[in-house]
Every structure is written in structure tokens, then in C-alpha cells.
Amino acid sequence: MTNDGEFKRQLELPATGVPRTYRARTFGDISQDQLEDLIEGIEIEGVVYGKIDANMERRTGRNQWIEMTLTEGKNREVRRVLEHLGLQVSRLIRTSYGPFRLLDLPKGMAFEVAPRDLDNFRRTLPGNAA
């Protein structure tokens, strides 16, 4: 959360390339090899999605948790890619956004990022002075 609208918009633009990591609980059959193919990107119904680093975390029968890191953040990208691979997504959790990790933060809670950490992160974004 931020009260800086310009900064928020910069973060959400696919061109900014901020890595976002998600954990998805899915149902269906998939192999780690199929997930690794996503590193090359994928085209679905004319929409090209850039590289996605995807790894199987754990599997129980036909249910699995998959961790995915992407940099574009297009609308519903994680769900669309996984559904294209024949999986049903039953839970989706964003675990990190750039260098900021959710960790064990309780539901509904927030924490303040130290100004120094925020300034350091801003300098890594395209178009900002290093």
C-alpha cells in the first residue's frame, strides 16, 4: 500500500519489470518439465506472456502448490497461464513484490517499509537515477 499514486503506477507497469512471486494451489496433472518450459514465455489466445520461473513446491495426488515468479504482471497472468496448462487454480497468494516479502505477516496486517529501503528500491527501477 502506498499513498504515492505515481510510484504505484510505476510498480504495476509490466515494462518496469518488478519481479512478483506467487504461490498457487492447483488441481490437475502437470510435470516440472512443463513448468520449466514457461521460462521461454508463452502465447495464449494472441497474448504473449514473458518468461515465468515456475517450480513445483509439493504435490499430494493431483493437487500441488506451484511457485511462480514473473516480471510483467499482466491482468490475471498466473491464473491464465496455469489454466492454459490444464490446471484449476483454487488459491493464489502473492508472496513477494520486488524485494518486499510477505513472510509470516498475519492476514489483514501491514508493515511500514523503512525509507532507506524504499529509496534503495526506487533507484533500481527504470527511469530513476542510480
Side-chain angles (χ1 to χ4, degrees):
M1 296 189 304
T2 179
N3 59 0
D4 185 338
E6 184 179 330
F7 178 56
K8 179 205 74 87
R9 182 64 182 142
Q10 183 181 20
L11 290 179
E12 69 188 12
L13 290 171
T16 305
V18 175
R20 302 142 168 91
T21 301
Y22 298 84
R23 289 183 72 227
R25 183 175 61 199
T26 63
F27 175 79
D29 293 317
I30 193 155
S31 69
Q32 179 62 40
D33 287 340
Q34 288 173 288
L35 293 174
E36 288 175 7
D37 287 343
L38 294 174
I39 202 71
E40 303 297 324
I42 189 170
E43 182 175 342
I44 302 171
E45 296 178 5
V47 178
V48 177
Y49 297 98
K51 73 176 190 167
I52 299 171
D53 183 14
N55 294 294
M56 184 93 56
E57 285 189 345
R58 67 176 183 258
R59 172 179 291 196
T60 306
R62 293 185 67 205
N63 291 293
Q64 57 268 320
W65 281 96
I66 298 171
E67 182 181 72
M68 300 176 71
T69 300
L70 48 114
T71 57
E72 289 186 317
K74 291 180 180 171
N75 187 35
R76 300 182 58 80
E77 181 173 359
V78 172
R79 287 186 186 275
R80 287 191 174 129
V81 167
L82 292 174
E83 288 170 358
H84 177 77
L85 296 174
L87 300 173
Q88 295 174 339
V89 178
S90 60
R91 183 118 193 253
L92 185 59
I93 305 165
R94 182 167 37 209
T95 60
S96 71
Y97 199 100
F100 309 110
R101 299 202 46 83
L102 181 61
L103 300 173
D104 58 356
L105 189 67
K107 184 175 182 176
M109 298 301 295
F111 68 92
E112 186 173 349
V113 175
R116 185 187 81 230
D117 294 338
L118 187 56
D119 289 341
N120 288 340
F121 175 58
R122 282 180 185 239
R123 282 194 288 276
T124 68
L125 299 174
N128 291 327

